[in-house]
Amino acid sequence: MTNDLQYMLEQGYQQHMEGQLEQAERLFRAVLAQDRDNIHALNLLGMLCVNDFRPDEAVVLISKALKFQPNNPESHANLALAFKDQGKLESAVKHFRESIRLDPYRPVVFNNLGNVLRESGKPQEAITAYERALQLDGDFSQAWCNLAAALNEAEKRKAARRAVDRALRLEPTLAQAHNNKGDIALAEAHYAEALECYRKATALNPKYVAALINMARTQRDMDDPDAAVKTLKNALEIEPNNPEAHHAMGVLQEQLGDREKAAAAFQDAIRVAPGMAIAHYYLAQIRGRKTSDEELATMQKIWQEVDMLPNDRMFMAFGLARANEQRRDYDRAFEFIEQGNRVKAEMQPYDDADTGSFVDSLADSAEAAVARLGAEVGCSDKRPVFILGMPRSGTSLTEQILASHSEVAGAGELSYAYDTAHRIRDITKQAFPDNMKLLRAEQLRELGEYYLARHKPDNLAHRYVVDKTPLNFQYIGLLGLALPRAKFIHCHRDPVQNCFSIHKMPFDKKQAYAHSLEALGLYYNRYWRLMQRWKALFPGRILDVRYEETVADIESQGRRMLEFLDLPFEESVLDFYKTERLVKTPSASQVRQPIYGDALQAWRKYEAHLGPLIDALDWQALGVEPPL
């Protein structure tokens, strides 16, 4: 290579480092005009294209450099970054690993590999990559920050906090670390802390759109939707084409009851990111809106042609199921329902024996505690009311009815019962739920006070505050002991309709029972038997509310629930759909309409496919006849 070419490369590199991309590119191309196979110019120009968000050009340039120098670890690492930006994550991982094989001592490559593994939905593998980066450079603040995010995604919260705190000690002004600390706090439902972290992140970097989106989600969770809308508008002013911001706005508008604005926001997300599967699903599921033929064709094209990540494929499958259901093509809809559920089932199969052991232990431990201490030893506050049952059993409707009463605050779905159960581990140093039988009376009182302290003061100002978290049925033993004056409203409905309503939705992979018809039947049996044990343990404190009876006669059921709570009847509970409040559940659209009965036997449209569910249900234990 001549001295002139060497000089141009050095000058181009310097311009690149100073952010003068146009001048740098001009110099690199000048080198290639004289020496088209110059591997240094190919690599440097390829990396410039990566930094300039032109991954397609970067792949061509760096791939050409690798033909001449296939064992160049830096080229493999740069090509991996280009593939990452193209969304070809498997290719990115392949080239990062090849770069590491050739040179295993560069922490930045391990860090970048961790980032791609996280994006691929593999937080545990990402953790290993970040830890290796930190073994090579213990002061690598960005790697500590990214490790915290991966640990949080792997639900290792304490380790995540240690990692993010280390990042902030090394670099207190690292905005991403403050954002990641907010994510950890949000996962633990520490909303005020999360909000403060996001504010610090955006103060350090006012154009940090990801932190603004997280701030808006936190404001929504803190029941401040006006602030959330304002924050998202700010994010969209900074990045008008940010699909995540548009999608977050759509979710918020649907929860506020404005389905037209929600649809428009989801359409904006799809406009700027046509392959955004979750936005397609959310648009398709808006109640009262039919997916257009053009929208359906777009989803089908993506489904057939795009190599999606498993989670994206799952959302697209459920979106296609909704669109086909709207067209009354139930066989085709069911095919997509099954394909969407198959993705989750492969990630986390249902283990009925393990579930049975856990459920039995829940009841055994609570019964042992009641036998030893009695049922009146906890915090005597009577404000908490728990609406629970299987998901999709009418809990959102029931909460909306009660929250329409002047003396009731609806707090929505909360993690507080889970957090309280987790706290027992800190007290006893043993695992839940067996540790319940070890608790003393004063510890149960403390747990009840801890649960109450999680609620917002505005909600506690009411006579009752409703925690509407369906799966809290698991925690009735603990809650009944820690809050002996609390009451429970148990929602249930036709078991086939209930289970199939769950199966039709993209439930989190952790709810493994949801992804198989047989598993749903087995899990429902265990839930039902557990509820019978709770009723025997806490007589008079659990009110059964059947969804079909509420639909048939809302006034009678409303009066019955108010009588259970010793509240006077108010006409407002009959107009529950007019109550203005944020509804943060998949039923947000439904509870804003007068009560309807069209879904009571909707499963019949899919009856030909539901044999595994019907066969798995224990009809004798359920006390009803199987469907004909």
Side-chain angles (χ1 to χ4, degrees):
M1 186 165 53
T2 67
N3 290 337
D4 286 345
L5 293 182
Q6 181 69 35
Y7 178 76
M8 281 193 285
L9 285 171
E10 290 173 356
Q11 288 298 304
Y13 179 78
Q14 187 64 36
Q15 296 283 0
H16 189 181
M17 292 300 98
E18 293 174 1
Q20 304 298 320
L21 299 189
E22 286 186 20
Q23 294 90 321
E25 183 167 352
R26 199 158 41 241
L27 288 164
F28 295 146
R29 291 198 183 279
V31 172
L32 290 170
Q34 297 183 48
D35 180 5
R36 65 179 185 178
D37 296 334
N38 188 295
I39 59 172
H40 303 292
L42 290 168
N43 268 318
L44 289 169
L45 182 55
M47 197 58 208
L48 184 149
C49 289
V50 170
N51 293 336
D52 200 32
F53 305 105
R54 292 149 55 192
D56 295 347
E57 293 178 65
V59 167
V60 172
L61 290 162
I62 302 170
S63 296
K64 186 175 181 182
L66 277 170
K67 286 181 181 178
F68 297 108
Q69 202 174 58
N71 292 327
N72 186 322
E74 189 171 351
S75 295
H76 281 288
N78 291 342
L79 183 57
L81 290 172
F83 278 129
K84 174 182 180 294
D85 289 346
Q86 283 185 325
K88 297 177 179 179
L89 302 186
E90 288 186 11
S91 295
V93 169
K94 173 186 171 183
H95 283 279
F96 276 133
R97 293 199 187 281
E98 181 62 12
S99 177
I100 288 166
R101 186 186 69 79
L102 294 165
D103 181 359
Y105 299 106
R106 291 190 300 159
V108 69
V109 180
F110 282 101
N111 181 66
N112 289 336
L113 171 61
N115 291 340
V116 176
L117 290 168
R118 271 187 61 218
E119 195 173 331
S120 303
K122 300 175 181 177
Q124 195 57 53
E125 291 183 44
I127 289 168
T128 301
Y130 294 134
E131 287 176 340
R132 179 57 182 149
L134 290 164
Q135 287 171 359
L136 294 168
D137 181 1
D139 292 335
F140 192 172
S141 58
Q142 188 67 57
W144 281 112
C145 177
N146 292 333
L147 174 61
L151 288 165
N152 187 43
E153 289 166 11
E155 300 185 15
K156 299 177 180 179
R157 311 282 184 228
K158 289 182 179 178
R161 281 189 175 274
R162 288 194 296 270
V164 79
D165 287 343
R166 178 68 180 273
L168 288 168
R169 284 197 299 273
L170 290 165
E171 192 174 346
T173 59
L174 184 58
Q176 187 183 349
H178 288 286
N179 176 74
N180 290 358
K181 190 168 185 176
D183 290 346
I184 297 164
L186 187 60
E188 295 175 325
H190 298 309
Y191 300 119
E193 180 191 354
L195 188 60
E196 182 59 25
C197 290
Y198 296 136
R199 283 179 174 151
K200 286 180 181 176
T202 53
L204 290 164
N205 180 2
K207 294 186 177 182
Y208 193 172
V209 169
L212 287 169
I213 294 170
N214 289 333
M215 183 188 298
R217 288 171 174 153
T218 306
Q219 290 165 329
R220 177 198 66 186
D221 289 343
M222 296 176 77
D223 292 326
D224 192 355
D226 292 340
V229 169
K230 184 177 178 180
T231 300
L232 287 173
K233 285 181 177 178
N234 182 20
L236 287 166
E237 285 175 7
I238 297 167
E239 290 185 15
N241 289 329
N242 186 297
E244 293 291 342
H246 284 296
H247 179 74
M249 182 69 84
V251 172
L252 181 58
Q253 293 294 350
E254 185 177 9
Q255 292 176 346
L256 284 167
D258 195 327
R259 284 176 281 171
E260 288 187 10
K261 285 186 179 178
F266 295 135
Q267 287 168 331
D268 283 337
I270 293 166
R271 173 180 55 80
V272 297
M276 191 176 186
I278 191 170
H280 283 284
Y281 165 72
Y282 268 82
L283 181 62
Q285 60 81 47
I286 294 176
R287 186 170 178 79
R289 181 187 184 278
K290 183 177 180 180
T291 302
S292 71
D293 290 343
E294 183 181 356
E295 289 166 345
L296 175 56
T298 298
M299 283 195 287
Q300 289 173 330
K301 183 176 176 64
I302 293 169
W303 178 263
Q304 292 165 359
E305 299 179 5
V306 176
D307 184 16
M308 291 177 279
L309 291 172
N311 214 50
D312 293 331
R313 193 157 188 82
M314 180 271 299
F315 275 114
M316 190 61 76
F318 281 103
L320 284 162
R322 288 296 179 101
N324 280 281
E325 183 178 68
Q326 292 160 3
R327 287 160 172 76
R328 300 184 180 182
D329 188 346
Y330 300 114
D331 291 339
R332 182 72 170 147
F334 187 79
E335 288 177 17
F336 283 114
I337 291 170
E338 288 305 278
Q339 292 195 63
N341 276 300
R342 196 172 299 123
V343 171
K344 293 292 187 182
E346 289 171 358
M347 290 181 181
Q348 193 158 338
Y350 175 70
D351 187 332
D352 189 60
D354 185 62
T355 300
S357 176
F358 177 73
V359 168
D360 289 344
S361 183
L362 282 168
D364 292 345
S365 192
E367 288 166 355
V370 169
R372 181 168 54 88
L373 300 171
E376 302 291 333
V377 294
C379 172
S380 62
D381 198 299
K382 69 175 184 179
R383 285 172 291 183
V385 174
F386 297 91
I387 295 176
L388 38 74
M390 287 287 286
R392 311 295 295 161
S393 63
T395 55
S396 295
L397 171 63
T398 302
E399 182 196 30
Q400 185 77 350
I401 291 170
L402 286 179
S404 301
H405 194 284
S406 62
E407 296 189 64
V408 178
E413 294 192 16
L414 306 167
S415 68
Y416 303 167
Y418 171 84
D419 298 339
T420 304
H422 190 77
R423 194 173 178 86
I424 305 176
R425 298 175 191 173
D426 297 331
I427 294 171
T428 64
K429 309 303 180 188
Q430 294 194 33
F432 182 84
D434 286 340
N435 55 12
M436 272 195 292
K437 58 191 174 190
L438 305 176
L439 293 168
R440 300 190 302 273
E442 62 270 22
Q443 291 171 330
L444 284 165
R445 199 156 41 246
E446 176 199 325
L447 288 165
E449 291 167 355
Y450 169 79
Y451 171 84
L452 278 166
R454 299 302 306 277
H455 280 284
K456 296 195 308 182
D458 288 351
N459 286 338
L460 291 175
H462 290 72
R463 184 172 173 185
Y464 291 109
V465 57
V466 173
D467 179 338
K468 184 219 77 91
T469 308
L471 293 180
N472 274 353
F473 74 78
Q474 301 171 101
Y475 302 118
I476 289 178
L478 168 61
L479 296 168
L481 283 160
L483 295 158
R485 300 185 71 189
K487 292 189 175 181
F488 304 90
I489 295 177
H490 169 223
C491 298
H492 64 107
R493 67 190 298 189
D494 176 89
V496 178
Q497 182 58 47
N498 193 169
C499 291
F500 187 55
S501 294
I502 294 169
H503 197 58
K504 287 172 62 180
M505 296 190 68
F507 273 82
D508 187 273
K509 67 179 182 181
K510 289 183 290 186
Q511 291 175 253
Y513 65 86
H515 313 309
S516 149
L517 290 172
E518 181 183 10
L520 268 162
L522 296 173
Y523 185 84
Y524 194 94
N525 296 336
R526 295 198 179 280
Y527 136 78
W528 190 260
R529 294 181 191 119
L530 180 63
M531 286 304 307
Q532 310 321 304
R533 292 182 73 173
W534 292 145
K535 289 180 208 174
L537 190 61
F538 301 116
R541 294 178 61 190
I542 301 174
L543 178 71
D544 284 330
V545 174
R546 185 172 173 81
Y547 178 75
E548 290 83 357
E549 293 176 3
T550 303
V551 171
D553 189 349
I554 183 173
E555 182 172 349
S556 293
Q557 287 301 304
R559 288 182 180 277
R560 184 167 164 263
M561 288 188 283
L562 294 175
E563 182 179 343
F564 178 64
L565 300 178
D566 195 26
L567 285 172
F569 180 77
E570 292 179 358
E571 292 289 336
S572 57
V573 302
L574 302 181
D575 295 327
F576 63 89
Y577 52 90
K578 297 178 182 177
T579 300
E580 294 185 5
R581 54 187 290 268
L582 196 64
V583 181
K584 296 173 283 190
T585 76
S587 305
S589 295
Q590 297 174 20
V591 300
R592 298 189 186 282
Q593 303 176 56
I595 210 158
Y596 66 98
D598 62 326
L600 294 183
Q601 291 287 306
W603 68 269
R604 292 283 185 184
K605 300 166 185 173
Y606 295 89
E607 186 171 3
H609 304 286
L610 302 186
L613 168 61
I614 295 169
D615 291 344
L617 288 164
D618 185 345
W619 295 99
Q620 184 175 357
L622 297 176
V624 293
E625 293 294 322
L628 298 175

